[in-house]
Amino acid sequence: MAFLRTLFWIAVTVIVVVFSVRNWVPVPVNLFGDTVVETKLPMLLLIGFLIGFVPLYLWHRAVKWRHNRRLSQIERTPPVVMTPPPPAAGRAPGFTPTQPPIGDPFQDD
């Protein structure tokens, strides 16, 4: 699986490099007012990609950090020890019934 992942990233890199070399032309970008900036097309696409990627990546890392913090807090809490209930007052400590009581609603007939 690591081989396929590596092959995928190599293919993406080759496609991006070929696209960048073939489209290395200046593109005018009109900013506010009369300001015009000329930049190369691949740089413009890279800036647009980063504007969309970086905020979502930071949000993802924050959520992952918060989940890891909660998980470590849960792991640090001591386990709750449940003690068995005391035996019933009317029966001896070693008493086990041999037949179910009559009229048990959960017993199949």
Side-chain angles (χ1 to χ4, degrees), residues 7-72:
L7 186 64
F8 170 76
W9 284 115
I10 289 173
V12 167
T13 304
V14 167
I15 290 170
V16 167
V17 167
V18 168
F19 176 81
S20 297
V21 168
R22 296 207 179 221
N23 292 302
W24 198 258
V25 294
V27 176
V29 178
N30 296 325
L31 297 177
F32 49 88
D34 293 334
T35 308
V36 176
V37 176
E38 285 197 10
T39 183
K40 304 294 184 184
L41 181 62
M43 292 306 295
L44 185 62
L45 293 176
L46 177 67
I47 291 169
F49 171 77
L50 290 177
I51 287 172
F53 176 76
V54 169
L56 292 177
Y57 179 73
L58 292 175
W59 178 69
H60 165 72
R61 295 299 297 179
V63 168
K64 188 174 178 181
W65 174 76
R66 187 175 64 219
H67 285 301
N68 285 340
R69 213 172 110 217
R70 285 183 184 173
L71 183 61
S72 65

